[in-house]
Amino acid sequence: MIDRGTVELLEGGSALTIGTVRSDGAPHASRAWGLDLLAFDPMRVRVLLDAHDAGTIENLGPGADVAVTATSVPTFHSVQLKGTSRGITPTADGDAERFTRYERSFYDDIEAADRTPRHLLERLSPEELVAVELHITEVYDQTPGPGAGQELESGAT
C-alpha cells in the first residue's frame, strides 16, 4: 500500500496534471484542482477538474485511460497514477472546500518557490468545477532522477 507521505503529496497542494487520450489517439494534458483518495483496494481517487476544459472532459468517458501526476512544487517529488475513468460527475458536498484548500496550498508553494505574486496565480483558477472518479491500476515514482518510472506498491488491483 502507498505510504502516508505519498497520500499527503496526492491530497495536498501538489501540482496536479491529468493526461487523457482523444478518440484519434492524440494525447491531451491539463491541470487538475484537487484529489481525494477514496479507497486503497481497489484504489480509487476523485479528481476535481475545470468544467470548461472541453478537451479533458470529452476524453474522460467511462473506461477511458487516464494518468494523473502529482508533483511537489518545492521538491519535485512526483507520483503518477494510471487507471481508467468512471465518468464525469457534477461537484458534490465538500468539493468547493476541497478546491479552496488545494488552491491555497498550491499557490502558497508557487509563491514561496518562484515568488510569483498571488494575484497572477489566481488568474489560473477555474470558475466552475466538475469531478471524475478514477479506478487506479498502477502507481509510479516520477521524481526526477535514477528512480523515475519505478512502480510503487499501490494496493491497486
Side-chain angles (χ1 to χ4, degrees):
M1 191 173 300
I2 60 174
D3 63 34
R4 186 71 198 141
T6 300
V7 172
E8 289 172 3
L9 173 68
L10 293 170
E11 294 187 332
S14 61
L16 290 173
T17 305
I18 186 163
T20 60
V21 180
R22 289 190 334 209
S23 60
D24 66 1
H28 178 79
S30 189
R31 176 153 316 285
W33 293 96
L35 182 149
D36 285 309
L37 180 62
L38 302 176
F40 276 109
D41 191 13
M43 191 173 186
R44 291 182 302 118
V45 299
R46 179 176 166 84
V47 180
L48 298 177
L49 305 170
D50 182 344
H52 300 287
D53 181 356
T56 298
I57 291 167
E58 287 174 18
N59 297 342
L60 284 174
D65 291 331
V66 62
V68 176
T69 304
T71 302
S72 165
V73 172
T75 69
F76 298 122
H77 175 69
S78 299
V79 171
Q80 185 176 68
L81 310 176
K82 290 187 177 184
T84 56
S85 169
R86 298 182 73 167
I88 298 290
T89 62
T91 55
D93 291 344
D95 284 343
E97 180 183 327
R98 173 72 183 104
F99 166 72
T100 299
R101 283 193 327 269
Y102 171 81
E103 180 186 46
R104 182 175 44 248
S105 181
F106 179 49
Y107 290 166
D108 284 350
D109 282 350
I110 294 172
E111 202 171 28
D114 295 341
R115 308 218 191 292
T116 302
R118 172 111 15 188
H119 71 277
L120 295 177
L121 298 171
E122 289 170 347
R123 294 173 21 184
L124 298 171
S125 298
E127 294 178 15
E128 185 180 358
L129 298 168
V130 292
V132 63
E133 188 175 313
L134 306 175
H135 172 82
I136 303 303
T137 55
E138 302 170 66
V139 181
Y140 296 93
D141 178 357
Q142 292 295 8
T143 305
Q150 179 179 350
E151 190 164 8
L152 299 176
E153 289 288 324
S154 66
T157 57

